[in-house]
Amino acid sequence: MWLDREANADEVPPAVAISSEFSPEVATFIPDSRRAWLRLAVAVAIGSLGSVGMWSVVVALPVVQTDFGATRGTASLAFTMVMLGFGIGQVVTGKISDRYGIVAAIGAGIGILGLGYVGAGYAPSIWAFILLHFAIGLSSAATFGPLMAEASHWFERYRGLAVAIAASGNYVGGTVWPPLVNFGMQSVGWRTTHIAIGIFAAIAMTLALMVLRLLMGAAVRRSHVNAAPPRVDLRLSTNALTAILALASISCCVAMSMPQVHIVAYCGDLGYGVARGAEMLSLMLGFGIISRIGSGFLADRIGGIRTLLIGSIAQGSALLFYLFFDSLTSLYVISAMFGLFQGGIVPSYAIIVREAMPASEAATRIGIVIFASVFGMSFGGWISGVIFDATGSYAAAFANGLAWNLLNVSIILLLLMRARQRLAIA
């Protein structure tokens, strides 16, 4: 007997909904399901692997500088190019993700990542090494902003937590990759290490992406077709809200950059040694993971705007402590506090975008806001150094960070008041 599926369409779905949850051909997806958590686990693995581009350059910098006989300033341009590529890549890969799906965006990133690292390993000059790090930063972008946006489509009840966990892949990479890169360089040299990273990361990420594609459904190009609609109305156009969030992102990240970029140099100036500063930086990143996951829990209960406001106020408080305490013990404690307070700030922007904007634009809009945060980090790190050169002290630089943090708090307060006004009118 021939089965007319269209004629029996009304009778088929109940059975299919139960038996084909893990079929790659399933067209519908249930948010917060076991399948969603499996997707998220794979996404974190991809994010941890892809974030290598953000951390390897910091470890390799002194060795590469010596090998090429370059100045520290010239060699440091490799980090600048990574950040530039990472920032621009948020917008580019976000657009690809919105149009063609996250699998296509990450797939393109994998190819660029592998070629970038292999090319860096064979770089004939310091300038080739520097330029190739733009490609490495560009490739790492696909595993941050777009991945957070995609994770937000898989969850409704636990959306904030999911976005925060997806963002934590970057910090997990920051914990795992530096010692591995350092071990590789000491064992086989920096060139072989870069080539090995490119090959390993490309293969491992490809396998993980194949698993993610299977979990998302091979026949489904975009997972946000069935995503929940926005649930917050701020009575602002999408472009206006994006611009406001971008300004807020710049201001908070200028403040955030002061301890993250200069804590090592600050400890050196105080006579504690750069090793102590490096330990404090690791402490920040470690507590940042806790902060990101905690902020996700909080956002699911009080919303992204309130969570961002709490994080920004807490970050400002930690910056204030840096102004008044500079003993070794106090700096360790404050650095841990700073990591615990600031880690959830950037994911909060992604949560706000998803709460207030259409799912079909989420990756692009999050990419723009993340690009603004990268600019804020870069500008903040630079301006703090300029202020130190002009004053001979980091006190004014910390005060500058506090001023930018106050701007961020003011912007978020205005958004929160607008949201409350909207609720009152409704």
Side-chain angles (χ1 to χ4, degrees), residues 75-142:
S76 298
L77 288 174
F79 178 76
T80 302
M81 294 304 289
V82 166
M83 296 301 291
L84 181 62
F86 185 74
I88 295 175
Q90 297 299 323
V91 182
V92 174
T93 57
K95 192 69 176 178
I96 293 173
S97 181
D98 281 335
R99 186 167 183 177
Y100 301 106
I102 190 64
V103 173
I106 296 178
I110 291 173
I112 298 173
L113 182 71
L115 292 174
Y117 268 101
V118 172
Y122 286 105
S125 67
I126 186 65
W127 293 108
F129 182 84
I130 290 170
L131 291 175
L132 283 165
H133 272 74
F134 175 83
I136 290 173
L138 186 71
S139 65
S140 296

Side-chain angles (χ1 to χ4, degrees), residues 214-232:
L214 179 64
L215 289 171
M216 293 178 64
V220 182
R221 188 177 72 177
R222 304 182 191 124
S223 64
H224 59 64
V225 172
N226 298 309
R231 55 191 181 193
V232 175

